[in-house]
Amino acid sequence: MRTGARLSLDLLLLLVMLAVALWLLGRMWSVVWPLVVGLLLTTLTWPPARFLRRRGWHPALAATTVTVAFLLVAAGVVALIAVPMASQTDELTDGVVEGIQRLRDWAAGPPLNIKDAQITSAVDAAMARVQDSVGSVVDTVATGVGTVVNGLVTAVLALFLMFFFLKDGPRFLPWLTRQLPGRLATDVPAVASLSWTTLGSFVRSQALVGLLDGVFIGIGLWILGVPLVLPLAVLTFVSAFVPIIGALFAGFVAVLIALVSNGLTDALIALAIIIVVQQLEGNVFQPIIQSRGLGLHAAVILLAVTLGGSLAGIVGSLLAVPVAALVAVVWTYVREQLSDPPQEPEAAEPGASA
């Protein structure tokens, strides 16, 4: 009983410490979130920076070159998506109007038999409700503007942090070793190095999953003859880094373009292709690829994403896998340090019989 009570008290203290740590993390989230994004971007851009540094480039010059190249690539991706869509705006607009008219014609026939007067009254009722809730709409718009501004600030801070990480990152572990006392000077840098390797594996595996999504969905849309296949494939690849919402957004855009350009049948086929590919990605490709790169079982990854989404929404889903991998790194290191060294077999005495 005494041992059980002591263990329960220790567990309670650990839970209290965890709750306090999470509360502090929430209070400092405006600083922590750009730091996390900067680290993830650094894991993606560190290989070319390391290549330049090994070729004798100055760290500041290598970091500047890679940062500028990253911004150019990001701008090129945005242009690759936006320019073709802008060039076909008139065609897409006419297709949207035609699609809406088809939906009205379909709703007017059996089995719904909805008349134009009913549709008009429903639209009028919706407009009246919007007018009655102007205040809440304004608040929602203000909240959305605030979210966009916060996102821009986070992006700018993350880019600056990425530059400094690329420039001064290799000096961090030696500095950390000098600051820590005793055994911590060895353990903490070792865990930090392993965690860095794990984050790099996560980003590379996520990029590979996004590439598979973009290729397979792009091939399906190309077979159907849907326009803007390349921008849609690039959008699918980029959206793969944002769990749940990214896939829904990219799929919605692809289905909408298929609807307004090719008709309802091809739109339904495109929807089926997207659902099949995303189900394969979420339940087969992503767990297998990330389990190999991160050393986590596929079931652990699925449970981590589910738990992260239920606790912190989209951000929780985005960070669930790397956090689970970092926890596994720390646990493995602590277990290895606490385990007893292997016992060497004693040498047989001379003359002992076998």
PDB file of all heavy atoms in Angstrom, residues 162-193:
ATOM      1  N   MET A 162      14.489  30.848 -39.701  1.00  0.00           N
ATOM      2  CA  MET A 162      15.106  29.871 -40.593  1.00  0.00           C
ATOM      3  C   MET A 162      16.480  30.354 -41.053  1.00  0.00           C
ATOM      4  O   MET A 162      17.453  29.582 -41.090  1.00  0.00           O
ATOM      5  CB  MET A 162      14.208  29.619 -41.802  1.00  0.00           C
ATOM      6  CG  MET A 162      14.731  28.572 -42.766  1.00  0.00           C
ATOM      7  SD  MET A 162      13.779  28.471 -44.301  1.00  0.00           S
ATOM      8  CE  MET A 162      14.365  29.944 -45.152  1.00  0.00           C
ATOM      9  N   PHE A 163      16.579  31.638 -41.393  1.00  0.00           N
ATOM     10  CA  PHE A 163      17.869  32.188 -41.825  1.00  0.00           C
ATOM     11  C   PHE A 163      18.909  32.051 -40.715  1.00  0.00           C
ATOM     12  O   PHE A 163      20.047  31.610 -40.967  1.00  0.00           O
ATOM     13  CB  PHE A 163      17.700  33.652 -42.214  1.00  0.00           C
ATOM     14  CG  PHE A 163      19.004  34.379 -42.400  1.00  0.00           C
ATOM     15  CD1 PHE A 163      19.752  34.205 -43.556  1.00  0.00           C
ATOM     16  CD2 PHE A 163      19.492  35.230 -41.414  1.00  0.00           C
ATOM     17  CE1 PHE A 163      20.965  34.862 -43.719  1.00  0.00           C
ATOM     18  CE2 PHE A 163      20.697  35.885 -41.572  1.00  0.00           C
ATOM     19  CZ  PHE A 163      21.437  35.710 -42.730  1.00  0.00           C
ATOM     20  N   PHE A 164      18.546  32.416 -39.489  1.00  0.00           N
ATOM     21  CA  PHE A 164      19.506  32.332 -38.394  1.00  0.00           C
ATOM     22  C   PHE A 164      19.851  30.883 -38.039  1.00  0.00           C
ATOM     23  O   PHE A 164      20.991  30.592 -37.665  1.00  0.00           O
ATOM     24  CB  PHE A 164      18.977  33.069 -37.172  1.00  0.00           C
ATOM     25  CG  PHE A 164      18.973  34.565 -37.326  1.00  0.00           C
ATOM     26  CD1 PHE A 164      17.793  35.279 -37.339  1.00  0.00           C
ATOM     27  CD2 PHE A 164      20.172  35.260 -37.466  1.00  0.00           C
ATOM     28  CE1 PHE A 164      17.795  36.656 -37.489  1.00  0.00           C
ATOM     29  CE2 PHE A 164      20.184  36.636 -37.618  1.00  0.00           C
ATOM     30  CZ  PHE A 164      18.989  37.343 -37.633  1.00  0.00           C
ATOM     31  N   PHE A 165      18.870  29.987 -38.153  1.00  0.00           N
ATOM     32  CA  PHE A 165      19.162  28.576 -37.906  1.00  0.00           C
ATOM     33  C   PHE A 165      20.135  28.035 -38.947  1.00  0.00           C
ATOM     34  O   PHE A 165      21.054  27.272 -38.626  1.00  0.00           O
ATOM     35  CB  PHE A 165      17.877  27.754 -37.917  1.00  0.00           C
ATOM     36  CG  PHE A 165      16.983  28.018 -36.747  1.00  0.00           C
ATOM     37  CD1 PHE A 165      15.612  27.789 -36.829  1.00  0.00           C
ATOM     38  CD2 PHE A 165      17.499  28.487 -35.552  1.00  0.00           C
ATOM     39  CE1 PHE A 165      14.790  28.026 -35.747  1.00  0.00           C
ATOM     40  CE2 PHE A 165      16.680  28.731 -34.459  1.00  0.00           C
ATOM     41  CZ  PHE A 165      15.325  28.497 -34.559  1.00  0.00           C
ATOM     42  N   LEU A 166      19.929  28.417 -40.218  1.00  0.00           N
ATOM     43  CA  LEU A 166      20.840  27.975 -41.272  1.00  0.00           C
ATOM     44  C   LEU A 166      22.237  28.562 -41.075  1.00  0.00           C
ATOM     45  O   LEU A 166      23.244  27.909 -41.374  1.00  0.00           O
ATOM     46  CB  LEU A 166      20.298  28.388 -42.639  1.00  0.00           C
ATOM     47  CG  LEU A 166      19.024  27.689 -43.126  1.00  0.00           C
ATOM     48  CD1 LEU A 166      18.556  28.303 -44.435  1.00  0.00           C
ATOM     49  CD2 LEU A 166      19.238  26.195 -43.287  1.00  0.00           C
ATOM     50  N   LYS A 167      22.306  29.771 -40.585  1.00  0.00           N
ATOM     51  CA  LYS A 167      23.589  30.458 -40.433  1.00  0.00           C
ATOM     52  C   LYS A 167      24.349  29.968 -39.198  1.00  0.00           C
ATOM     53  O   LYS A 167      25.555  29.696 -39.265  1.00  0.00           O
ATOM     54  CB  LYS A 167      23.349  31.961 -40.348  1.00  0.00           C
ATOM     55  CG  LYS A 167      24.578  32.805 -40.064  1.00  0.00           C
ATOM     56  CD  LYS A 167      24.209  34.271 -40.058  1.00  0.00           C
ATOM     57  CE  LYS A 167      25.400  35.131 -39.607  1.00  0.00           C
ATOM     58  NZ  LYS A 167      25.701  34.942 -38.174  1.00  0.00           N
ATOM     59  N   ASP A 168      23.647  29.857 -38.072  1.00  0.00           N
ATOM     60  CA  ASP A 168      24.320  29.584 -36.796  1.00  0.00           C
ATOM     61  C   ASP A 168      23.954  28.240 -36.189  1.00  0.00           C
ATOM     62  O   ASP A 168      24.365  27.962 -35.054  1.00  0.00           O
ATOM     63  CB  ASP A 168      23.981  30.691 -35.781  1.00  0.00           C
ATOM     64  CG  ASP A 168      24.411  32.067 -36.273  1.00  0.00           C
ATOM     65  OD1 ASP A 168      25.466  32.143 -36.913  1.00  0.00           O
ATOM     66  OD2 ASP A 168      23.687  33.054 -36.020  1.00  0.00           O
ATOM     67  N   GLY A 169      23.179  27.413 -36.899  1.00  0.00           N
ATOM     68  CA  GLY A 169      22.723  26.157 -36.327  1.00  0.00           C
ATOM     69  C   GLY A 169      23.824  25.232 -35.840  1.00  0.00           C
ATOM     70  O   GLY A 169      23.764  24.728 -34.714  1.00  0.00           O
ATOM     71  N   PRO A 170      24.895  25.008 -36.637  1.00  0.00           N
ATOM     72  CA  PRO A 170      25.946  24.080 -36.182  1.00  0.00           C
ATOM     73  C   PRO A 170      26.668  24.532 -34.918  1.00  0.00           C
ATOM     74  O   PRO A 170      27.326  23.715 -34.270  1.00  0.00           O
ATOM     75  CB  PRO A 170      26.899  24.040 -37.386  1.00  0.00           C
ATOM     76  CG  PRO A 170      26.042  24.370 -38.559  1.00  0.00           C
ATOM     77  CD  PRO A 170      25.058  25.373 -38.047  1.00  0.00           C
ATOM     78  N   ARG A 171      26.580  25.819 -34.581  1.00  0.00           N
ATOM     79  CA  ARG A 171      27.240  26.296 -33.367  1.00  0.00           C
ATOM     80  C   ARG A 171      26.381  26.142 -32.129  1.00  0.00           C
ATOM     81  O   ARG A 171      26.827  26.431 -31.024  1.00  0.00           O
ATOM     82  CB  ARG A 171      27.631  27.760 -33.525  1.00  0.00           C
ATOM     83  CG  ARG A 171      28.667  28.005 -34.601  1.00  0.00           C
ATOM     84  CD  ARG A 171      29.192  29.420 -34.573  1.00  0.00           C
ATOM     85  NE  ARG A 171      28.156  30.391 -34.905  1.00  0.00           N
ATOM     86  CZ  ARG A 171      28.364  31.708 -34.940  1.00  0.00           C
ATOM     87  NH1 ARG A 171      29.566  32.190 -34.629  1.00  0.00           N
ATOM     88  NH2 ARG A 171      27.393  32.523 -35.264  1.00  0.00           N
ATOM     89  N   PHE A 172      25.128  25.693 -32.305  1.00  0.00           N
ATOM     90  CA  PHE A 172      24.213  25.644 -31.167  1.00  0.00           C
ATOM     91  C   PHE A 172      24.595  24.535 -30.186  1.00  0.00           C
ATOM     92  O   PHE A 172      24.652  24.765 -28.973  1.00  0.00           O
ATOM     93  CB  PHE A 172      22.780  25.429 -31.667  1.00  0.00           C
ATOM     94  CG  PHE A 172      21.799  25.213 -30.554  1.00  0.00           C
ATOM     95  CD1 PHE A 172      21.419  26.256 -29.730  1.00  0.00           C
ATOM     96  CD2 PHE A 172      21.247  23.957 -30.323  1.00  0.00           C
ATOM     97  CE1 PHE A 172      20.522  26.063 -28.695  1.00  0.00           C
ATOM     98  CE2 PHE A 172      20.352  23.755 -29.298  1.00  0.00           C
ATOM     99  CZ  PHE A 172      19.980  24.811 -28.481  1.00  0.00           C
ATOM    100  N   LEU A 173      24.870  23.334 -30.692  1.00  0.00           N
ATOM    101  CA  LEU A 173      25.177  22.219 -29.798  1.00  0.00           C
ATOM    102  C   LEU A 173      26.468  22.437 -29.006  1.00  0.00           C
ATOM    103  O   LEU A 173      26.495  22.180 -27.798  1.00  0.00           O
ATOM    104  CB  LEU A 173      25.240  20.913 -30.592  1.00  0.00           C
ATOM    105  CG  LEU A 173      23.891  20.387 -31.112  1.00  0.00           C
ATOM    106  CD1 LEU A 173      24.087  19.062 -31.832  1.00  0.00           C
ATOM    107  CD2 LEU A 173      22.885  20.232 -29.984  1.00  0.00           C
ATOM    108  N   PRO A 174      27.561  22.909 -29.635  1.00  0.00           N
ATOM    109  CA  PRO A 174      28.739  23.214 -28.807  1.00  0.00           C
ATOM    110  C   PRO A 174      28.465  24.276 -27.748  1.00  0.00           C
ATOM    111  O   PRO A 174      28.955  24.165 -26.613  1.00  0.00           O
ATOM    112  CB  PRO A 174      29.773  23.690 -29.836  1.00  0.00           C
ATOM    113  CG  PRO A 174      29.362  23.035 -31.108  1.00  0.00           C
ATOM    114  CD  PRO A 174      27.869  23.010 -31.063  1.00  0.00           C
ATOM    115  N   TRP A 175      27.696  25.304 -28.105  1.00  0.00           N
ATOM    116  CA  TRP A 175      27.342  26.320 -27.111  1.00  0.00           C
ATOM    117  C   TRP A 175      26.512  25.715 -25.983  1.00  0.00           C
ATOM    118  O   TRP A 175      26.730  26.021 -24.802  1.00  0.00           O
ATOM    119  CB  TRP A 175      26.565  27.439 -27.792  1.00  0.00           C
ATOM    120  CG  TRP A 175      26.016  28.459 -26.838  1.00  0.00           C
ATOM    121  CD1 TRP A 175      26.673  29.539 -26.327  1.00  0.00           C
ATOM    122  CD2 TRP A 175      24.695  28.477 -26.279  1.00  0.00           C
ATOM    123  NE1 TRP A 175      25.851  30.235 -25.480  1.00  0.00           N
ATOM    124  CE2 TRP A 175      24.624  29.610 -25.425  1.00  0.00           C
ATOM    125  CE3 TRP A 175      23.577  27.664 -26.413  1.00  0.00           C
ATOM    126  CZ2 TRP A 175      23.473  29.930 -24.719  1.00  0.00           C
ATOM    127  CZ3 TRP A 175      22.427  27.981 -25.708  1.00  0.00           C
ATOM    128  CH2 TRP A 175      22.384  29.102 -24.871  1.00  0.00           C
ATOM    129  N   LEU A 176      25.544  24.841 -26.351  1.00  0.00           N
ATOM    130  CA  LEU A 176      24.712  24.208 -25.333  1.00  0.00           C
ATOM    131  C   LEU A 176      25.541  23.309 -24.424  1.00  0.00           C
ATOM    132  O   LEU A 176      25.305  23.247 -23.204  1.00  0.00           O
ATOM    133  CB  LEU A 176      23.601  23.402 -26.013  1.00  0.00           C
ATOM    134  CG  LEU A 176      22.524  22.798 -25.113  1.00  0.00           C
ATOM    135  CD1 LEU A 176      21.780  23.894 -24.383  1.00  0.00           C
ATOM    136  CD2 LEU A 176      21.556  21.956 -25.941  1.00  0.00           C
ATOM    137  N   THR A 177      26.529  22.647 -24.986  1.00  0.00           N
ATOM    138  CA  THR A 177      27.400  21.787 -24.176  1.00  0.00           C
ATOM    139  C   THR A 177      28.167  22.602 -23.135  1.00  0.00           C
ATOM    140  O   THR A 177      28.335  22.162 -21.987  1.00  0.00           O
ATOM    141  CB  THR A 177      28.379  21.040 -25.090  1.00  0.00           C
ATOM    142  OG1 THR A 177      27.632  20.263 -26.041  1.00  0.00           O
ATOM    143  CG2 THR A 177      29.276  20.118 -24.288  1.00  0.00           C
ATOM    144  N   ARG A 178      28.608  23.795 -23.517  1.00  0.00           N
ATOM    145  CA  ARG A 178      29.353  24.634 -22.579  1.00  0.00           C
ATOM    146  C   ARG A 178      28.466  25.223 -21.481  1.00  0.00           C
ATOM    147  O   ARG A 178      28.960  25.553 -20.396  1.00  0.00           O
ATOM    148  CB  ARG A 178      30.044  25.774 -23.330  1.00  0.00           C
ATOM    149  CG  ARG A 178      31.141  25.310 -24.277  1.00  0.00           C
ATOM    150  CD  ARG A 178      31.957  26.493 -24.753  1.00  0.00           C
ATOM    151  NE  ARG A 178      31.130  27.477 -25.453  1.00  0.00           N
ATOM    152  CZ  ARG A 178      30.940  27.471 -26.764  1.00  0.00           C
ATOM    153  NH1 ARG A 178      31.495  26.522 -27.529  1.00  0.00           N
ATOM    154  NH2 ARG A 178      30.205  28.403 -27.340  1.00  0.00           N
ATOM    155  N   GLN A 179      27.162  25.348 -21.742  1.00  0.00           N
ATOM    156  CA  GLN A 179      26.277  25.980 -20.774  1.00  0.00           C
ATOM    157  C   GLN A 179      25.745  25.011 -19.725  1.00  0.00           C
ATOM    158  O   GLN A 179      25.343  25.438 -18.643  1.00  0.00           O
ATOM    159  CB  GLN A 179      25.084  26.631 -21.490  1.00  0.00           C
ATOM    160  CG  GLN A 179      25.455  27.632 -22.562  1.00  0.00           C
ATOM    161  CD  GLN A 179      26.345  28.744 -22.035  1.00  0.00           C
ATOM    162  OE1 GLN A 179      26.067  29.321 -20.986  1.00  0.00           O
ATOM    163  NE2 GLN A 179      27.418  29.041 -22.766  1.00  0.00           N
ATOM    164  N   LEU A 180      25.734  23.728 -20.016  1.00  0.00           N
ATOM    165  CA  LEU A 180      25.104  22.760 -19.123  1.00  0.00           C
ATOM    166  C   LEU A 180      26.137  22.113 -18.207  1.00  0.00           C
ATOM    167  O   LEU A 180      27.279  21.875 -18.613  1.00  0.00           O
ATOM    168  CB  LEU A 180      24.383  21.682 -19.943  1.00  0.00           C
ATOM    169  CG  LEU A 180      23.206  22.179 -20.785  1.00  0.00           C
ATOM    170  CD1 LEU A 180      22.680  21.057 -21.654  1.00  0.00           C
ATOM    171  CD2 LEU A 180      22.086  22.710 -19.892  1.00  0.00           C
ATOM    172  N   PRO A 181      25.709  21.797 -16.971  1.00  0.00           N
ATOM    173  CA  PRO A 181      26.659  21.197 -16.034  1.00  0.00           C
ATOM    174  C   PRO A 181      26.600  19.671 -16.077  1.00  0.00           C
ATOM    175  O   PRO A 181      25.591  19.066 -16.437  1.00  0.00           O
ATOM    176  CB  PRO A 181      26.147  21.702 -14.675  1.00  0.00           C
ATOM    177  CG  PRO A 181      24.659  21.805 -14.879  1.00  0.00           C
ATOM    178  CD  PRO A 181      24.453  22.196 -16.318  1.00  0.00           C
ATOM    179  N   GLY A 182      27.706  19.058 -15.674  1.00  0.00           N
ATOM    180  CA  GLY A 182      27.739  17.623 -15.440  1.00  0.00           C
ATOM    181  C   GLY A 182      27.329  16.795 -16.638  1.00  0.00           C
ATOM    182  O   GLY A 182      27.681  17.067 -17.786  1.00  0.00           O
ATOM    183  N   ARG A 183      26.535  15.763 -16.348  1.00  0.00           N
ATOM    184  CA  ARG A 183      26.126  14.821 -17.380  1.00  0.00           C
ATOM    185  C   ARG A 183      25.156  15.444 -18.373  1.00  0.00           C
ATOM    186  O   ARG A 183      25.057  14.982 -19.514  1.00  0.00           O
ATOM    187  CB  ARG A 183      25.483  13.598 -16.715  1.00  0.00           C
ATOM    188  CG  ARG A 183      25.116  12.518 -17.701  1.00  0.00           C
ATOM    189  CD  ARG A 183      24.638  11.263 -17.023  1.00  0.00           C
ATOM    190  NE  ARG A 183      24.192  10.295 -18.008  1.00  0.00           N
ATOM    191  CZ  ARG A 183      23.756   9.078 -17.716  1.00  0.00           C
ATOM    192  NH1 ARG A 183      23.724   8.681 -16.444  1.00  0.00           N
ATOM    193  NH2 ARG A 183      23.375   8.250 -18.670  1.00  0.00           N
ATOM    194  N   LEU A 184      24.456  16.509 -17.966  1.00  0.00           N
ATOM    195  CA  LEU A 184      23.547  17.177 -18.897  1.00  0.00           C
ATOM    196  C   LEU A 184      24.276  17.704 -20.117  1.00  0.00           C
ATOM    197  O   LEU A 184      23.684  17.817 -21.202  1.00  0.00           O
ATOM    198  CB  LEU A 184      22.825  18.320 -18.182  1.00  0.00           C
ATOM    199  CG  LEU A 184      21.811  17.936 -17.102  1.00  0.00           C
ATOM    200  CD1 LEU A 184      21.236  19.178 -16.452  1.00  0.00           C
ATOM    201  CD2 LEU A 184      20.697  17.071 -17.690  1.00  0.00           C
ATOM    202  N   ALA A 185      25.539  18.055 -19.950  1.00  0.00           N
ATOM    203  CA  ALA A 185      26.321  18.551 -21.078  1.00  0.00           C
ATOM    204  C   ALA A 185      26.497  17.491 -22.160  1.00  0.00           C
ATOM    205  O   ALA A 185      26.801  17.822 -23.314  1.00  0.00           O
ATOM    206  CB  ALA A 185      27.692  19.037 -20.600  1.00  0.00           C
ATOM    207  N   THR A 186      26.321  16.237 -21.803  1.00  0.00           N
ATOM    208  CA  THR A 186      26.400  15.148 -22.783  1.00  0.00           C
ATOM    209  C   THR A 186      25.025  14.694 -23.247  1.00  0.00           C
ATOM    210  O   THR A 186      24.792  14.497 -24.444  1.00  0.00           O
ATOM    211  CB  THR A 186      27.161  13.947 -22.196  1.00  0.00           C
ATOM    212  OG1 THR A 186      28.469  14.378 -21.797  1.00  0.00           O
ATOM    213  CG2 THR A 186      27.288  12.825 -23.209  1.00  0.00           C
ATOM    214  N   ASP A 187      24.084  14.554 -22.299  1.00  0.00           N
ATOM    215  CA  ASP A 187      22.780  13.982 -22.626  1.00  0.00           C
ATOM    216  C   ASP A 187      21.922  14.926 -23.463  1.00  0.00           C
ATOM    217  O   ASP A 187      21.326  14.521 -24.468  1.00  0.00           O
ATOM    218  CB  ASP A 187      22.044  13.610 -21.334  1.00  0.00           C
ATOM    219  CG  ASP A 187      22.729  12.466 -20.610  1.00  0.00           C
ATOM    220  OD1 ASP A 187      23.468  11.711 -21.271  1.00  0.00           O
ATOM    221  OD2 ASP A 187      22.533  12.329 -19.388  1.00  0.00           O
ATOM    222  N   VAL A 188      21.831  16.188 -23.055  1.00  0.00           N
ATOM    223  CA  VAL A 188      20.941  17.117 -23.759  1.00  0.00           C
ATOM    224  C   VAL A 188      21.379  17.343 -25.206  1.00  0.00           C
ATOM    225  O   VAL A 188      20.551  17.281 -26.129  1.00  0.00           O
ATOM    226  CB  VAL A 188      20.837  18.446 -22.984  1.00  0.00           C
ATOM    227  CG1 VAL A 188      20.038  19.473 -23.774  1.00  0.00           C
ATOM    228  CG2 VAL A 188      20.189  18.213 -21.617  1.00  0.00           C
ATOM    229  N   PRO A 189      22.659  17.618 -25.489  1.00  0.00           N
ATOM    230  CA  PRO A 189      23.047  17.730 -26.902  1.00  0.00           C
ATOM    231  C   PRO A 189      22.811  16.457 -27.700  1.00  0.00           C
ATOM    232  O   PRO A 189      22.469  16.516 -28.889  1.00  0.00           O
ATOM    233  CB  PRO A 189      24.542  18.075 -26.829  1.00  0.00           C
ATOM    234  CG  PRO A 189      24.714  18.733 -25.510  1.00  0.00           C
ATOM    235  CD  PRO A 189      23.763  18.015 -24.598  1.00  0.00           C
ATOM    236  N   ALA A 190      23.003  15.297 -27.067  1.00  0.00           N
ATOM    237  CA  ALA A 190      22.761  14.042 -27.791  1.00  0.00           C
ATOM    238  C   ALA A 190      21.288  13.911 -28.164  1.00  0.00           C
ATOM    239  O   ALA A 190      20.948  13.541 -29.303  1.00  0.00           O
ATOM    240  CB  ALA A 190      23.202  12.858 -26.940  1.00  0.00           C
ATOM    241  N   VAL A 191      20.392  14.221 -27.206  1.00  0.00           N
ATOM    242  CA  VAL A 191      18.960  14.159 -27.500  1.00  0.00           C
ATOM    243  C   VAL A 191      18.576  15.200 -28.552  1.00  0.00           C
ATOM    244  O   VAL A 191      17.759  14.941 -29.443  1.00  0.00           O
ATOM    245  CB  VAL A 191      18.147  14.357 -26.204  1.00  0.00           C
ATOM    246  CG1 VAL A 191      16.664  14.491 -26.511  1.00  0.00           C
ATOM    247  CG2 VAL A 191      18.376  13.191 -25.253  1.00  0.00           C
ATOM    248  N   ALA A 192      19.171  16.400 -28.474  1.00  0.00           N
ATOM    249  CA  ALA A 192      18.871  17.441 -29.463  1.00  0.00           C
ATOM    250  C   ALA A 192      19.298  17.008 -30.860  1.00  0.00           C
ATOM    251  O   ALA A 192      18.585  17.240 -31.847  1.00  0.00           O
ATOM    252  CB  ALA A 192      19.561  18.742 -29.068  1.00  0.00           C
ATOM    253  N   SER A 193      20.458  16.366 -30.971  1.00  0.00           N
ATOM    254  CA  SER A 193      20.918  15.897 -32.283  1.00  0.00           C
ATOM    255  C   SER A 193      19.997  14.825 -32.850  1.00  0.00           C
ATOM    256  O   SER A 193      19.630  14.857 -34.036  1.00  0.00           O
ATOM    257  CB  SER A 193      22.339  15.359 -32.157  1.00  0.00           C
ATOM    258  OG  SER A 193      22.805  14.874 -33.397  1.00  0.00           O
TER     259      SER A 193
END
